[in-house]
Amino acid sequence: AEEVGGDDKEVVREYFNNSGFQRWKKIYGETDDVNRVQKDIRLGHSKTVENAITMLTDDGSLRGVTVCDAGCGTGSLSIPLAKEGAIVTATDISAAMVAEAQKQAEEQLLAGKDDLSQAPVMPKFEVKDLESLDGKYHTVVCLDVLIHYPQSKADGMIAHLASLAENRLILSFAPKTFYYDILKRIGELFPGPSKATRAYLHSEADVERALQKVGWKINKRGLITTQFYFAKLVEAVPA
Ligand code: SAM
């Protein structure tokens, strides 16, 4: 039975505008005030970003390529993509996240550049949930967002993201494997409900089925694991 009400999204928005924003800004940042678990998650996430960039650049330069980073967080992916020459549209449901991403992009892409015509094209940041995104992009990327939604919702999100992408869609999600499921049940990985939203795992087969339903197929797969961070990274293309 579906154990979830219809309000996942509102809970997620509230979380990432408040305590979740503070927690994840720290994890995605570079400061030393992180505990051992957070440091490990920071490492795992940075590997996901790195692997996504490798997937994206494997097929050729990103110069002038339009990329939509759905659920951009603090800009961990959007900023390096802009450095690679991509024309980035970066959106997030959280206004706090978008403001932080904008600030970091200005610091990392524009600061110290006397001649701004030499600077990368700034990502276009916008507060928007991915369900309301429209337009067409060469590539759509959505990293570590599906974890906040049950598969029943993830199906629709995947279908919508695929409809925005002309050439490829890159997704990462926490894989539902026996081992990870057990760890999660034990509660080692995720703090209690007071501290976080709940985390949903997705089986690769379910994600693949959602893609197939809308005429897409997976053509690259990767797995990123550290002690406390697990992510499956897939690249899909029109079948
Ligand atoms: N993709 C970023 C990265 O990998 O650095 C951030 C990952 S963070 C774990 C999840 C992000 O998804 C948060 O910034 C959150 O606000 C955003 N988010 C959650 N639900 C969303 C939705 N329905 N539409 C857009 N963004 C969403």
Side-chain angles (χ1 to χ4, degrees):
E2 189 53 57
E3 64 224 276
V4 181
D7 61 351
D8 297 85
K9 203 157 89 175
E10 285 321 306
V11 173
V12 168
R13 190 200 313 272
E14 157 76 18
Y15 172 69
F16 280 107
N17 270 320
N18 296 287
S19 63
F21 172 65
Q22 297 304 334
R23 174 180 157 86
W24 289 98
K25 180 174 78 159
K26 217 160 71 172
I27 291 175
Y28 293 156
E30 283 170 356
T31 54
D32 289 331
D33 57 344
V34 284
N35 63 35
R36 195 173 66 83
V37 174
Q38 291 170 331
K39 203 169 176 178
D40 179 83
I41 296 173
R42 176 188 280 176
L43 175 68
H45 172 260
S46 72
K47 288 188 187 189
T48 296
V49 170
E50 228 171 81
N51 287 14
I53 292 172
T54 303
M55 266 185 183
L56 283 161
T57 49
D58 261 0
D59 302 333
S61 163
L62 290 178
R63 200 147 296 280
V65 172
T66 54
V67 180
C68 174
D69 182 10
C72 64
T74 58
S76 307
L77 177 73
S78 292
I79 296 169
L81 290 184
K83 285 186 185 159
E84 293 285 329
I87 310 301
V88 182
T89 300
T91 60
D92 198 283
I93 197 171
S94 156
M97 284 290 187
V98 170
E100 178 64 23
Q102 174 83 39
K103 179 178 142 222
Q104 290 197 19
E106 280 166 13
E107 282 169 12
Q108 295 180 45
L109 301 174
L110 305 181
K113 296 251 181 350
D114 297 330
D115 180 3
L116 286 185
S117 70
Q118 299 299 308
V121 177
M122 272 286 284
K124 187 172 157 240
F125 291 106
E126 231 183 309
V127 182
K128 202 175 236 196
D129 57 59
L130 65 85
E131 295 81 352
S132 2
L133 270 167
D134 53 17
K136 288 279 182 198
Y137 305 89
H138 176 283
T139 299
V140 174
V141 189
C142 184
L143 300 185
D144 293 5
V145 176
L146 294 177
I147 189 165
H148 304 296
Y149 299 93
Q151 188 63 44
S152 56
K153 277 216 175 151
D155 274 9
M157 295 167 82
I158 291 169
H160 185 61
L161 292 171
S163 79
L164 306 169
E166 274 163 344
N167 295 274
R168 55 188 175 181
L169 171 60
I170 292 182
L171 296 171
S172 72
F173 55 93
K176 191 175 206 164
T177 57
F178 177 71
Y179 170 70
Y180 193 43
D181 222 17
I182 294 290
L183 275 185
K184 194 196 156 207
R185 264 169 226 212
I186 297 169
E188 233 179 285
L189 290 176
F190 297 98
S194 61
K195 288 199 229 145
T197 57
R198 45 164 311 186
Y200 297 94
L201 310 177
H202 302 281
S203 84
E204 192 174 340
D206 286 340
V207 170
E208 193 153 22
R209 207 170 301 123
L211 286 161
Q212 275 164 359
K213 253 197 296 187
V214 291
W216 285 62
K217 61 164 196 248
I218 295 179
N219 74 333
K220 287 183 200 162
R221 302 163 204 263
L223 180 68
I224 298 97
T225 67
T226 60
Q227 216 178 344
F228 297 100
Y229 177 95
F230 296 75
K232 192 100 206 184
L233 184 68
V234 299
E235 181 188 275
V237 294

